[in-house]
Amino acid sequence: VISICYFAPNWFIARTMACIIQESLNAIRARVDACRGSQPVRLVAVSKTKSIEDIMRPYQAGQRHFGENYIQEIISKAP
């Protein structure tokens, strides 16, 4: 039995994740827009327990509001 392991390069994984996050945000925003009528809505992404690297992907995709449970967490992650 011959097994072949292929590990995708980090740049490929990062690009794939960026595309998935962008598509997910677009789908969520479309659903929110379809339901909100004329009322303003703020989409808040929950970033608790996520690393700064994980938070940067949705930020780069246009997400600007993030929620944390503890003030210490957001302070350590904010620029």
Side-chain angles (χ1 to χ4, degrees), residues 11-73:
W11 64 266
F12 179 78
I13 293 170
R15 179 70 181 137
T16 302
M17 286 301 298
C19 291
I20 291 169
I21 290 169
Q22 182 68 62
E23 290 171 2
S24 297
L25 277 173
N26 290 344
I28 292 166
R29 289 180 182 135
R31 289 173 49 194
V32 168
D33 287 345
C35 296
R36 71 181 174 96
S38 62
Q39 299 296 318
V41 173
R42 177 175 292 165
L43 180 62
V44 179
V46 178
S47 55
K48 63 182 190 174
T49 73
K50 300 298 180 195
S51 68
I52 294 171
E53 293 80 18
D54 288 341
I55 295 169
M56 285 308 297
R57 289 184 183 116
Y59 184 85
Q60 290 167 344
Q63 180 63 34
R64 292 297 183 263
H65 302 284
F66 295 88
E68 289 283 348
N69 282 350
Y70 301 103
I71 190 70
Q72 299 90 337
E73 287 290 319

